[in-house]
Amino acid sequence: MNAKVADRIATVLFYMIALLIVGLLTGLLGFILVRGLMVIDWNFLTTPPSAVREGGGIGPQLFNSFYLLVLTMLITIPLGLGGGIYMAEYAKPNKVTSFIRLSIEVLSSLPSIVVGLFGLLVFVQYTGWGFSLAAGALALAVFNLPLMVRVVEQAIESVPREQKDASLALGITHWQTITKVMLPVALPGIVTGTILASGRVFGEAAAIMFTAGMSSPALNFSDWDPSSPASPLNPFRPASTLAVHIWKINSEGLIPDAVEVSAGASAVLVIAVLLFNLLARGLGRYIHRKMTSS
Amino acid sequence: MQNDVQNSLGEILAKPAKKQKRIEVMGRTLTLVSASMLIITLASLLYFIASKGLSTFFVDGVSLSNFFSTNWGPNVSPDQGGPFYGALAFIVGSFLVTILAALISAPLGVGAAIFMTEIAPAWGRKVLQPVTELLVGIPSVVYGFIGLTVLVPFIRNHLGGQGFSLLAGVIVLSVMILPTITSIAVDTIQAIPKKIREASYALGATRWQTISRILVRTSLPGLMTGVVLGMARAFGEALAVQMVIGNSGMVPGSLLEPISTLTSVITLNMGNTVQGSTYNNALWSMAFILLLMTLFFILLIRLMTRRREY
């Protein structure tokens, strides 16, 4: 075959692949949003799900998803910052460092169901908490932490060398250089990465169903005392999230409008992930502008 | 007078130095502790999953040949020769969906990456980059739900069978791992120095010749890494697969038959079995296999990225 003809054919093929993928995403998003937005209204977002009849909402699940995310981030952000700073600034090229790197690699590519089972064994059974938000948050932290460490490390490493050297040359100690000079510069990257990681955690299900459980007790949204059992804030109560709820109603098939409820819940999940994406970009850019102009 | 000033200045300079040193050491220790959390977590995870997973063989006395057979029947009564704990059908199922999904996604993902870097970099990136990012962001249960409501009925009506099938699982997984492969492929192809392309064009090669004989060949280890990472994701994916593949305990004979994977069996049965029973431990052994496969995939990636060609 003529080389020029082959080149033409290949080019057309590549265009078709690109179109196919764009079409796939538009189809997926279109399907989720069109089907979902028909279901979503204020009532759907705030009422609790029904066990057998139709017309239930996703109120507690929506709250649980966000609350679990907050709890997870309370664990992973400090640890991730510490770990990332260590890897970027203190880690020497030795056995321990390469072992930490291997751990990051393994932990971040573990199947989430394996992490969930580990959580079931350690955080649910050995601690005696039972299915609980706390166990779910710890399990999520297991595979969110390596992600955070990597985000922080990369952000700190991308700080211009001159900036660090200038600070050290002024006689400022290493720790102060890190906290006062490098962290602020690295902040946009850290914020963007953190929000993107949150988006991933938000849609996670397999790790949560074995740790936070698949059901949510009746919540009393006027009781904000974290120690009372019906309080939404109680970290030791079981909680199903949106993603777990979608899986559960589809596999149990107890409620007749499972398809509508899952369509609505899927749309809420996808819209949340889209918002996380936009927020990550916007906030990162905003902080960057604010830090560099002043 | 001057002495006084010097003394107090000395004090001011000396005191913070001590305090600074303490903060310095404290900061270093704190960050080291955070970093070692990773090692502690991994070690305890390996220990707990392995000890549970291996107790099927060491405590319950299930033989390896029993476990690696296709005879699955944990509830078969002893007078019928049971119970059987053969997980081979699920292991085969996991490998089948993974490999078939990779066969679909690898050319598409690499193709998209080439499109973004070589064919239409300007608008290709502007459009495809966010598309791949959004595809990553769609939660896996949502893929499962769409598979269940669109794909399964479509297969049932147009291709036959119940719809819940190996094929449905493969299609769902191949969409899920597509962005993983694409984004890694883009990074590797972009890392190829510009002069290599220019040398090829200078010799009169067409764009397709340059892509197929130079770019793909030089970036092969990187491209393979992307594919292996995608496969690792597919192998461990649980809920989306479980929702669409039908979960029968047989080795599938065709694409349209229902199958089970390791993850789907664990998902469905972990909550319904008694902790500590042989049945339950057999599920932990499957989780242990998942863990070992992850380690194997990572080893493979490390081997592939070790040698660079340029």
Side-chain angles (χ1 to χ4, degrees):
Chain A
M1 198 183 348
N2 188 326
K4 277 205 175 132
V5 178
D7 187 55
R8 279 285 154 70
I9 295 173
T11 307
V12 172
L13 259 178
F14 283 121
Y15 267 93
M16 276 162 63
I17 290 176
L19 280 179
L20 174 75
I21 294 176
V22 174
L24 199 66
L25 181 85
T26 10
L28 281 172
L29 280 185
F31 177 81
I32 299 168
L33 294 180
V34 168
R35 287 287 291 271
L37 291 178
M38 292 193 302
V39 181
I40 298 175
D41 54 24
W42 185 244
N43 194 38
F44 178 73
L45 291 177
T46 50
T47 54
S50 73
V52 283
R53 265 174 296 127
E54 55 188 299
I58 53 164
Q61 280 71 28
L62 190 58
F63 176 82
N64 289 342
S65 286
F66 279 106
Y67 189 39
L68 193 58
L69 181 63
V70 171
L71 289 178
T72 308
M73 285 304 165
L74 281 181
I75 303 170
T76 47
I77 289 178
L79 284 176
L81 271 177
I85 291 173
Y86 181 82
M87 294 310 280
E89 286 296 309
Y90 294 115
K92 296 195 182 74
N94 58 19
K95 281 240 167 73
V96 179
T97 306
S98 66
F99 201 66
I100 296 179
R101 287 209 189 284
L102 182 69
S103 304
I104 293 178
E105 220 173 306
V106 176
L107 284 176
S108 58
S109 45
L110 274 177
S112 72
I113 188 171
V114 172
V115 175
L117 292 178
F118 169 69
L120 173 69
L121 201 58
V122 178
F123 306 135
V124 174
Q125 290 170 354
Y126 284 178
T127 55
W129 295 341
F131 289 121
S132 60
L133 279 163
L138 284 169
L140 284 180
V142 169
F143 64 103
N144 199 26
L145 182 58
L147 221 76
M148 282 299 301
V149 170
R150 218 181 290 177
V151 162
V152 174
E153 186 191 352
Q154 271 169 7
I156 291 181
E157 264 166 8
S158 66
V159 174
R161 203 177 157 89
E162 292 80 10
Q163 226 153 343
K164 182 185 173 187
D165 287 346
S167 166
L168 290 174
L170 286 173
I172 295 165
T173 63
H174 192 185
W175 181 249
Q176 278 192 323
T177 304
I178 293 170
T179 51
K180 302 266 160 66
V181 178
M182 304 181 72
L183 270 186
V185 180
L187 199 61
I190 295 175
V191 168
T192 310
T194 308
I195 299 176
L196 287 178
S198 311
R200 264 192 54 182
V201 170
F202 198 71
E204 182 50 51
I208 300 174
M209 54 187 271
F210 291 121
T211 49
M214 286 186 242
S215 60
S216 202
L219 297 179
N220 176 5
F221 277 94
S222 56
D223 180 2
W224 296 103
D225 169 20
S227 59
S228 84
S231 164
L233 288 184
N234 185 350
F236 295 104
R237 66 175 174 89
S240 65
T241 62
L242 275 181
V244 172
H245 190 60
I246 295 176
W247 180 80
K248 190 184 152 207
I249 57 177
N250 275 300
S251 14
E252 279 183 347
L254 285 180
I255 51 173
D257 59 344
V259 174
E260 279 72 38
V261 175
S262 344
S266 297
V268 173
L269 263 187
V270 169
I271 291 169
V273 172
L274 287 178
L275 285 181
F276 276 122
N277 254 299
L278 288 176
L279 190 70
R281 260 161 248 280
L283 209 59
R285 217 173 294 148
Y286 172 76
I287 296 175
H288 181 75
R289 214 175 34 225
K290 224 177 161 192
M291 301 228 102
T292 44
S293 66
S294 60
Chain B
M1 175 80 182
Q2 207 185 7
N3 240 344
D4 275 7
V5 171
Q6 265 177 357
N7 275 344
S8 63
L9 199 69
E11 262 167 49
I12 293 168
L13 283 173
K15 245 195 196 155
K18 252 190 208 154
K19 202 177 150 204
Q20 287 303 340
K21 191 130 198 185
R22 223 178 40 237
I23 295 175
E24 192 79 2
V25 173
M26 225 166 67
R28 204 195 147 94
T29 323
L30 261 179
T31 55
L32 178 62
V33 168
S34 317
S36 33
M37 280 307 293
L38 291 161
I39 297 183
I40 297 168
T41 312
L42 181 64
S44 56
L45 195 142
L46 287 174
Y47 168 76
F48 280 113
I49 304 268
S51 66
K52 270 284 213 178
L54 292 174
S55 64
T56 315
F57 308 108
F58 293 122
V59 179
D60 303 319
V62 174
S63 69
L64 275 179
S65 61
N66 185 342
F67 188 74
F68 288 102
S69 73
T70 54
N71 224 343
W72 176 251
N75 294 323
V76 175
S77 63
D79 28 299
Q80 286 168 300
F84 306 114
Y85 297 104
L88 192 65
F90 315 136
I91 299 173
V92 171
S94 280
F95 275 104
L96 264 181
V97 280
T98 304
I99 291 167
L100 291 176
L103 281 180
I104 297 179
S105 292
L108 289 180
V110 173
I114 291 173
F115 184 83
M116 283 157 80
T117 52
E118 308 298 320
I119 310 270
W123 72 264
R125 292 217 86 162
K126 220 178 229 167
V127 177
L128 277 182
Q129 184 94 31
V131 165
T132 45
E133 273 168 29
L134 288 178
L135 280 176
V136 181
I138 297 180
S140 67
V141 280
V142 175
Y143 280 114
F145 165 66
I146 296 175
L148 193 68
T149 49
V150 180
L151 201 57
V152 168
F154 181 85
I155 293 175
R156 182 166 51 222
N157 296 334
H158 295 272
L159 301 169
Q162 304 166 288
F164 292 99
S165 57
L166 174 56
L167 181 66
V170 167
I171 294 175
V172 166
L173 276 183
S174 51
V175 178
M176 286 181 66
I177 65 175
L178 188 62
T180 312
I181 298 179
T182 308
S183 59
I184 294 175
V186 167
D187 289 345
T188 7
I189 297 175
Q190 249 181 351
I192 298 175
K194 214 172 171 176
K195 56 186 178 199
I196 290 185
R197 287 183 187 82
E198 278 160 3
S200 168
Y201 288 131
L203 288 172
T206 62
R207 187 162 64 190
W208 171 239
Q209 284 169 332
T210 310
I211 291 169
S212 62
R213 293 181 208 169
I214 311 229
L215 297 183
V216 170
R217 205 161 290 178
T218 31
S219 60
L220 203 58
L223 298 181
M224 289 306 291
T225 304
V227 174
V228 172
L229 262 180
M231 286 172 73
R233 234 193 122 188
F235 200 84
E237 173 48 46
L239 303 188
V241 179
Q242 186 273 326
M243 286 163 92
V244 299
I245 58 165
N247 303 296
S248 94
M250 314 278 236
V251 176
S254 87
L255 273 175
L256 297 175
E257 278 176 30
I259 63 157
S260 279
T261 60
L262 292 169
T263 50
S264 74
V265 173
I266 299 173
T267 311
L268 284 178
N269 298 311
M270 189 52 97
N272 308 324
T273 53
V274 182
Q275 279 293 322
S277 62
T278 314
Y279 187 174
N280 188 264
N281 284 342
L283 297 175
W284 284 97
S285 304
M286 295 182 210
F288 186 49
I289 294 179
L290 285 176
L291 185 62
L292 290 181
M293 278 309 294
T294 310
L295 297 179
F296 170 75
F297 283 128
I298 286 173
L299 192 75
L300 209 62
I301 290 167
R302 295 211 145 194
L303 283 178
M304 281 186 309
T305 44
R306 187 165 296 161
R307 58 186 182 95
R308 295 242 105 169
E309 291 207 11
Y310 47 85

